[in-house]
Amino acid sequence: MKPAPVGLVLVSLVSVVALKPFASRTSETPVPYPDGYREWTHVKSALAGATKAASSAGSFQHIYANTKAMAGYRTRAFPEGSVVVFDWLEVRETGGTFAEGPRRQVDVMMKDSTRFAATGGWGFQRFVKDSKSELAPAPRPQQCFACHEQMKKDGLVLSAYRP
Amino acid sequence: MKPAPVGLVLVSLVSVVALKPFASRTSETPVPYPDGYREWTHVKSALAGATKAASSAGSFQHIYANTKAMAGYRTRAFPEGSVVVFDWLEVRETGGTFAEGPRRQVDVMMKDSTRFAATGGWGFQRFVKDSKSELAPAPRPQQCFACHEQMKKDGLVLSAYRP
């Protein structure tokens, strides 16, 4: 095989570099949507900001884990392929009872020490509302990692399983 | 085989009758503790009474369903063997965020049209805190049924699956 002309190689490199920031925010994200996560194990829940809002400021926060991540919750050593989902829902208040509203976003973290070596072995991604492909503009995976890294005690997974 | 003396038969019958109300509130309840329900599908959640209480009045309410009950949630025709768990947890408030506290009780309903014909084909039972055998003095199964029967729309299961 003949080597490609230098000009063509340069054009190709420029294209890749120019497109990469865009491509990393589309459905080609390295962290796939966690299909079927609603039937995974429910790790725990919280309700944030309920006092401020029967409104947009409040959020139910449910955490789900796949089978591998559940093994990690038990040992705090998360195996490759562990996936943890942080599911955000709006809150609807009626007479002092807070019910679940529409989904705000789905945060996913996936353990793959090779692919995500730059972010502690975990890939991070936020999906908008119920979309399986639309990615939130923020936080970016590196920002997710920075905060988890700062808050961590015994790993980048901040939650513990509530029996 | 010789028939038992009449006196012995009477004593036995009296014992059974006398013990039955007690036995029905022990671990011999016809609705067993739903072992492993925390790894069943999480149907939905609510937070009751949070405005009154960062305290004992508030409760997280999580609903879980076994595989058969999940089929029922999809069709609203719950097959025999369906089990639905209503899990109550105390609430702990810190800076406007409500976290899960200790378990208050575990309510269980189980579909068995033969055994529970008198209560719409469903057996009901409340277990105290984390106990798998201690049953709450109230509500009694008949009271659970009466309220579900009154509130029902398309069956005795009042909740709907939240995707």
Side-chain angles (χ1 to χ4, degrees):
Chain A
M1 185 179 161
K2 286 201 300 184
V6 171
L8 183 58
V9 170
L10 283 178
V11 167
S12 299
L13 281 174
V14 167
S15 300
V16 167
V17 170
L19 286 173
K20 198 181 175 190
F22 175 74
S24 70
R25 308 302 291 171
T26 72
S27 59
E28 293 173 1
T29 171
V31 177
Y33 185 84
D35 277 313
Y37 77 89
R38 280 288 290 105
E39 302 201 359
W40 295 356
T41 300
H42 172 217
V43 173
K44 64 179 288 190
S45 294
L47 179 58
T51 48
K52 296 177 191 165
S55 68
S56 61
S59 286
F60 272 102
Q61 302 168 329
H62 300 308
I63 300 176
Y64 301 93
N66 70 358
T67 304
K68 289 178 178 177
M70 282 305 298
Y73 274 109
R74 294 188 187 98
T75 62
R76 301 310 293 185
F78 288 82
E80 299 296 306
S82 292
V83 182
V84 177
V85 173
F86 200 101
D87 199 2
W88 299 72
L89 303 167
E90 293 183 22
V91 178
R92 298 288 182 262
E93 192 256 335
T94 308
T97 293
F98 297 84
E100 295 166 330
R103 179 164 284 109
R104 289 188 191 286
Q105 59 214 8
V106 174
D107 292 350
V108 185
M109 54 189 291
M110 166 186 276
K111 181 77 176 282
D112 185 327
S113 299
T114 305
R115 292 170 63 197
F116 307 118
T119 47
W122 289 88
F124 296 87
Q125 192 57 70
R126 170 170 290 179
F127 294 84
V128 174
K129 297 183 179 175
D130 291 308
S131 176
K132 296 186 175 188
S133 57
E134 187 186 349
L135 308 182
R140 296 187 62 87
Q142 185 62 41
Q143 294 171 311
C144 299
F145 168 65
C147 196
H148 278 247
E149 173 74 359
Q150 192 170 36
M151 295 167 71
K152 79 173 179 184
K153 290 180 179 175
D154 55 357
L156 294 180
V157 176
L158 306 178
S159 55
Y161 179 70
R162 186 263 306 152
Chain B
M1 184 181 164
K2 285 202 300 181
V6 172
L8 183 57
V9 171
L10 283 177
V11 167
S12 299
L13 281 174
V14 167
S15 300
V16 168
V17 171
L19 286 174
K20 198 178 176 193
F22 175 74
S24 72
R25 309 302 292 171
T26 71
S27 60
E28 293 174 0
T29 171
V31 177
Y33 184 84
D35 277 314
Y37 77 89
R38 280 287 290 107
E39 302 201 0
W40 295 355
T41 299
H42 173 219
V43 174
K44 62 179 288 189
S45 293
L47 179 58
T51 48
K52 297 177 189 163
S55 66
S56 61
S59 285
F60 273 103
Q61 301 169 328
H62 300 308
I63 301 177
Y64 301 93
N66 69 358
T67 304
K68 289 179 178 176
M70 281 306 297
Y73 274 110
R74 293 186 188 100
T75 62
R76 300 311 293 185
F78 288 82
E80 300 296 306
S82 291
V83 182
V84 177
V85 173
F86 199 102
D87 199 4
W88 300 72
L89 304 166
E90 294 182 23
V91 178
R92 298 285 183 264
E93 192 256 334
T94 308
T97 293
F98 296 83
E100 295 166 330
R103 181 164 282 109
R104 290 188 190 286
Q105 58 215 9
V106 174
D107 293 349
V108 185
M109 54 190 290
M110 166 186 276
K111 181 78 176 283
D112 185 328
S113 298
T114 305
R115 291 169 63 197
F116 306 118
T119 47
W122 288 89
F124 296 87
Q125 191 56 68
R126 171 170 290 179
F127 294 84
V128 174
K129 297 182 178 175
D130 291 308
S131 176
K132 295 186 176 187
S133 57
E134 186 185 351
L135 307 182
R140 296 187 64 87
Q142 185 62 42
Q143 295 171 309
C144 299
F145 168 64
C147 195
H148 278 248
E149 173 74 0
Q150 191 171 37
M151 295 168 70
K152 79 174 178 184
K153 292 180 180 175
D154 56 355
L156 295 179
V157 176
L158 307 178
S159 55
Y161 179 70
R162 188 263 306 152

